[in-house]
Amino acid sequence: MTLATRIIPCLDVDAGRVVKGVQFVNIRDAGDPVEIARRYDAEGADELCFLDITASAHERETLVHVVEAVAGQVFIPLTVGGGVRNCDDIRRLLRAGADKVAINTAAVHDPDFVSEAARRFGSQCIVVAIDARRVTGGEAAPRWEVFTHGGRRETGLDAVAWAREMVARGAGEILLTSMDRDGTREGFDIELLRAVGDAVAVPVIASGGVGTLAHLAEGVKAGGVDAVLAASIFHFGEHTVAEAKAYMAGQGIEVRE
Amino acid sequence: MSRIAVIDYGMGNLHSIAKALEHVSARERVIISGDPVALRRADRLVFPGVGAIADCMSELQRLGLDTVIREAVRSRPVLGICLGMQALLESSDENDGVDCLGLLRGHIRRFEGGADAAGRRLRVPHMGWNRVMPVAEHPLWRGIEPGSRFYFVHSYYAPAECEGVAATTDHGLRFASVLAAENLFAVQFHPEKSQQAGLALLRNFVDWDGELRAAMPRVAAAQ
């Protein structure tokens, strides 16, 4: 195996500005997406993920300009998600320089949208984002359900079956977030990563719960994922991407130097 | 002013490759075009592509661009990227079997998946940063360490037995990650998304005048 495990910093963008307290030393403007993207690129990030959390529709267009500006200066893959609802949204983002789009709520509302998007743009650029919450406890076999709207709305869909269906419809990658762990800094839900990773052939990106570098390595070694996504451990300056890679390499995980 | 044209036939993200070329070009002008006249006037051609091979071939033929590519490889440097590399071979298993340009001998196959020696699952698509091992010297490798990582995303591959293999990569099996012949250099990975190594390769392409070396495979005669 010579394919490197990917480390993907994730940035929340609101009306064209990166939010959620990104803190870098020697950065002029902590909210500037281009400056932050360049920093992560220089540190060795393997991809970047931008999630648009803009509430108002007319400000969504600013994300397209953000992607354009970043893509003109940072030459690594860019995934963009948040509010991707139709093929026009996808076309606009790809034309602006995004390499992949992450589809979440719109896939639940209309699974045919994923089939259509994969047919028109190719599976390689269609990431389906799944927010999963554990619905069993105690001794029962673990089961997870798909939630939308930032984990607030249940769908009744089984997360593993949903992942399988999304791949059958053409998703080229699954971005899998544990809503139980998101924001807790207690580490990934390893059983969830295993269950989905065993069910599909496409790459799985683990997300939700990273608090330490050990958590990243655990996701790869115990969870079997191909990529790890993290926000806060990088944003708050606790660790650089380079430190994360050095740590993972020390754990015997193949990373891009 | 020297002109680099990115061939636009409706397949994929041409702006990324155009931006990367602009980034490494000092004097050259980068255009994106599907017009055979404009493409014939360019000094260098970039043939990108993502998506399905059947759409790729039918669009090339509909727009008359297959002929442009066949002519170009005999006279000017041409860089194929991803699907733009696969389309150069004779045929592909994708979409129930598709005839391609046939400029080099070989047949595109699908990754089987399975597991590697350590028991880790081999994912399909092959997505991420993998090592590229050149098998021979070439001007486009200038300043790039053998074994450098480039960004890949593809489910079909050119076998290591095809004609013109210039570099290989492992994903469960060894496949051709670069094909080269005369003026043609074609890569399975995305140099425009491969950071420093990718930009170095694009810069080398911009500086390359192509060559007709006896040691390299000749591209098949235009039909």
Side-chain angles (χ1 to χ4, degrees):
Chain A
M1 184 94 169
T2 59
L3 191 61
T5 296
R6 288 170 282 154
I7 297 184
I8 309 174
C10 180
L11 300 159
D12 286 353
V13 179
D14 185 0
R17 303 280 295 168
V18 174
V19 294
K20 258 202 199 168
V22 173
Q23 294 173 0
F24 280 125
V25 184
N26 302 326
I27 195 160
R28 276 170 297 150
D29 174 0
D32 177 15
V34 177
E35 211 171 335
I36 294 166
R38 287 177 61 152
R39 171 61 70 96
Y40 282 133
D41 176 46
E43 285 181 1
D46 297 306
E47 290 186 31
L48 292 174
C49 180
F50 288 94
L51 288 183
D52 190 15
I53 59 165
T54 308
S56 75
H58 77 275
E59 281 179 322
R60 285 190 176 279
E61 197 56 29
T62 57
L63 183 73
V64 173
H65 302 304
V66 167
V67 171
E68 239 162 36
V70 171
Q73 297 193 37
V74 173
F75 300 99
I76 57 175
L78 306 177
T79 298
V80 182
V84 176
R85 290 188 180 82
N86 52 50
C87 285
D88 280 345
D89 291 339
I90 296 176
R91 183 177 306 105
R92 257 201 310 279
L93 291 170
L94 294 181
R95 284 192 74 88
D99 298 281
K100 311 183 220 181
V101 294
I103 305 173
N104 188 338
T105 304
V108 174
H109 284 167
D110 179 15
D112 286 339
F113 170 43
V114 173
S115 315
E116 172 70 6
R119 196 185 60 74
R120 283 175 65 175
F121 304 104
S123 290
Q124 82 292 330
C125 69
I126 304 300
V127 182
V128 168
I130 299 177
D131 293 343
R133 192 182 287 278
R134 209 175 258 260
V135 290
T136 47
E139 298 295 303
R143 220 174 64 76
W144 298 264
E145 261 181 35
V146 178
F147 281 69
T148 58
H149 299 83
R152 295 189 304 277
R153 199 170 296 179
E154 62 181 315
T155 65
L157 294 164
D158 177 78
V160 175
W162 180 244
R164 222 182 256 126
E165 179 180 348
M166 289 295 96
V167 172
R169 285 176 175 275
E173 194 169 32
I174 298 289
L175 168 55
L176 182 60
T177 303
S178 163
M179 298 314 291
D180 304 296
R181 297 299 178 90
D182 203 30
T184 66
R185 304 173 66 84
E186 289 172 3
F188 294 119
D189 181 344
I190 297 296
E191 286 183 312
L192 171 65
L193 302 182
R194 265 288 162 209
V196 172
D198 288 347
V200 299
V202 304
V204 175
I205 306 171
S207 157
V210 174
T212 67
L213 297 182
H215 289 155
L216 294 174
E218 193 189 4
V220 178
K221 295 179 88 167
V225 296
D226 311 275
V228 286
L229 181 130
S232 55
I233 65 160
F234 298 133
H235 297 341
F236 294 114
E238 290 163 50
H239 296 289
T240 64
V241 176
E243 283 168 8
K245 288 192 159 181
Y247 179 85
M248 288 168 77
Q251 298 289 306
I253 297 168
E254 189 124 1
V255 292
R256 179 173 69 108
E257 301 76 18
Chain B
M1 186 162 44
S2 167
R3 197 182 297 214
I4 307 167
V6 180
I7 303 174
D8 182 4
Y9 57 109
M11 301 289 285
N13 191 341
L14 310 178
H15 296 265
S16 286
I17 179 67
K19 279 175 177 167
L21 286 165
E22 281 164 8
H23 190 81
V24 299
S25 298
R27 301 170 303 278
E28 296 76 9
R29 187 165 155 229
V30 180
I31 61 164
I32 297 174
S33 176
D35 173 16
V37 177
L39 294 174
R40 285 193 174 98
R41 274 206 301 262
D43 303 285
R44 286 179 179 71
L45 287 186
V46 177
F47 175 29
V50 294
I53 190 76
D55 294 343
C56 164
M57 290 309 301
S58 67
E59 283 305 285
L60 286 178
Q61 283 153 6
R62 188 177 68 81
L63 297 166
L65 299 177
D66 53 337
T67 313
V68 172
I69 293 166
R70 285 178 203 285
E71 291 168 7
V73 296
R74 309 202 67 78
S75 56
R76 288 161 293 160
V78 176
L79 177 66
I81 299 175
C82 196
L83 202 58
M85 162 183 153
Q86 297 188 359
L88 300 171
L89 295 175
E90 292 167 296
S91 60
S92 170
D93 280 347
E94 193 178 0
N95 306 124
D96 303 319
V98 172
D99 284 336
C100 302
L101 293 169
L103 295 171
L104 293 168
R105 281 192 308 279
H107 180 80
I108 298 292
R109 299 183 191 288
R110 187 177 165 85
F111 283 118
E112 298 288 342
D116 69 1
R120 272 179 66 85
R121 188 152 179 183
L122 292 162
R123 302 282 171 182
V124 183
H126 171 231
M127 186 185 290
W129 299 79
N130 208 337
R131 294 189 185 282
V132 172
M133 307 301 294
V135 298
E137 293 204 2
H138 192 285
L140 264 66
W141 293 128
R142 198 180 60 222
I144 300 171
E145 286 290 312
S148 291
R149 290 184 187 275
F150 290 84
Y151 186 79
F152 288 83
V153 50
H154 59 124
S155 298
Y156 290 80
Y157 68 94
E161 299 75 43
C162 25
E163 188 185 16
V165 177
T168 63
T169 295
D170 282 330
H171 186 58
L173 50 80
R174 182 161 298 173
F175 66 93
S177 43
V178 181
L179 302 174
E182 301 177 346
N183 299 311
L184 187 59
F185 196 84
V187 297
Q188 178 61 66
F189 50 81
H190 289 270
E192 76 280 16
K193 290 290 163 181
S194 297
Q195 221 216 16
Q196 295 309 322
L199 294 176
L201 190 138
L202 291 176
R203 195 171 292 119
N204 290 340
F205 175 71
V206 168
D207 291 340
W208 184 47
D209 289 322
E211 50 204 292
L212 294 159
R213 285 195 305 192
M216 297 180 72
R218 298 284 303 270
V219 291
Q223 287 141 26

